[in-house]
Amino acid sequence: MKNFRTHYDTPHILTVTVSRPAALNALDNETLDGLREIIQEVYQNDETRGIILTGEGEKAFVAGADIKELSVLNAQEALALVEKTHRLFKQIEDCPKPIIAAVNGFALGGGCELAMACHMRIATENAKFGQPEVTLGIIPGYGGTQRLTQLVGRGKALELMLTGDMITAAEAKTIGLVNHVVATHADMMTLATSMLTRILSKGPLAVARVIQSVNAGYSFEADGYSAEARNFAALTTTADFKEGTTAFIEKRKPNFTGK
């Protein structure tokens, strides 16, 4: 499938690699649609019992959304995009088969949100996490306002989202965003495979019900996700959003006016 590589290095454990290295594996519409097809197949395929999700190369897991594609959306298109992505990331979060995000390099914006939708996260020492959307005049739109708060707490989540700062893998582990940090890509894949192998030795119905029970405490129907989608879409109509995305594409600092 375009933009992805999938394979089984270990029986029943599917490795899914986002493969757009020239774009730092950014999530454009085509990539989101491809990921949805893969996740739907995972639900239906009895051969697959656990998933490792990672990114091509050493530079990025997923660097974020595709800013050029995002910058031309109107409010209606932006709302449709975030609602579609909410549904996809919810499919990942609710998957009865454990999914580990193996994070190498940048996991920013939509990339961080994708990693947070997975059940667990393992990172290499060079990984960087962040929700820098405010630097573009927008907010996290793929569930970040909700999942980051759930994982690290309200105060730290607000700090990260309001400053747009990146944090290291070590800090991400300290605040509870990451489960484990290892030295190299090979170490990361080895640990992810080992964790899934241990999990898959347990009763699959019990594993699925643990995931379901934990997720029940963070209902997707809660209004926070709807508020995020509406606010994201509304901000695409502002001059600040146009300035922020244009500055990003032109590789300069934005000049926000609050309009």
Side-chain angles (χ1 to χ4, degrees), residues 42 46 57 85 128 139 171 191 195 229 245:
V42 163
D46 292 339
T85 309
K128 303 285 188 183
I139 66 169
E171 184 174 353
L191 178 56
M195 287 177 64
T245 53

Side-chain angles (χ1 to χ4, degrees), residues 60-246:
F61 168 71
V62 168
D66 189 302
I67 303 303
K68 289 183 179 179
E69 190 176 86
L70 192 65
S71 66
V72 298
L73 297 180
N74 61 36
Q76 184 177 3
E77 292 167 337
L79 183 60
L81 172 64
V82 296
E83 288 179 340
K84 178 179 81 170
T85 309
H86 279 178
R87 291 191 295 270
L88 169 59
F89 285 13
K90 181 62 173 171
Q91 277 187 298
I92 293 170
E93 186 174 63
D94 282 347
C95 185
K97 304 169 184 182
I99 302 177
I100 294 178
V103 179
N104 43 311
F106 293 115
L108 305 176
C112 187
E113 289 168 303
L114 174 58
M116 291 191 293
C118 298
H119 301 125
M120 292 160 282
R121 286 149 294 283
I122 300 172
T124 55
E125 290 176 347
N126 74 320
K128 303 285 188 183
F129 296 83
Q131 298 290 164
E133 287 86 352
V134 292
T135 65
L136 302 176
I138 199 77
I139 66 169
Y142 294 172
T145 62
Q146 306 303 296
R147 291 192 179 95
L148 185 60
T149 304
Q150 293 162 9
L151 285 166
V152 308
R154 183 179 179 184
K156 192 63 181 179
L158 281 168
E159 177 187 341
L160 292 173
M161 288 185 283
L162 293 178
T163 63
D165 288 346
M166 285 193 298
I167 60 173
T168 65
E171 184 174 353
K173 182 176 185 296
T174 297
I175 65 176
L177 180 55
V178 165
N179 296 72
H180 300 279
V181 177
V182 295
T184 68
H185 185 276
D187 293 338
M188 176 179 69
M189 300 306 288
T190 297
L191 178 56
T193 300
S194 174
M195 287 177 64
L196 283 176
T197 299
R198 295 201 308 276
I199 293 168
L200 299 190
S201 71
K202 310 305 189 289
L205 296 179
V207 168
R209 292 296 178 133
V210 166
I211 293 169
Q212 183 185 75
S213 299
V214 169
N215 288 349
Y218 301 99
S219 172
F220 187 69
E221 287 70 32
D223 190 61
Y225 286 96
S226 296
E228 178 187 274
R230 291 193 305 270
N231 289 326
F232 182 95
L235 284 166
T236 63
T237 67
T238 66
D240 274 357
F241 172 68
K242 299 304 180 186
E243 167 64 11
T245 53
T246 300

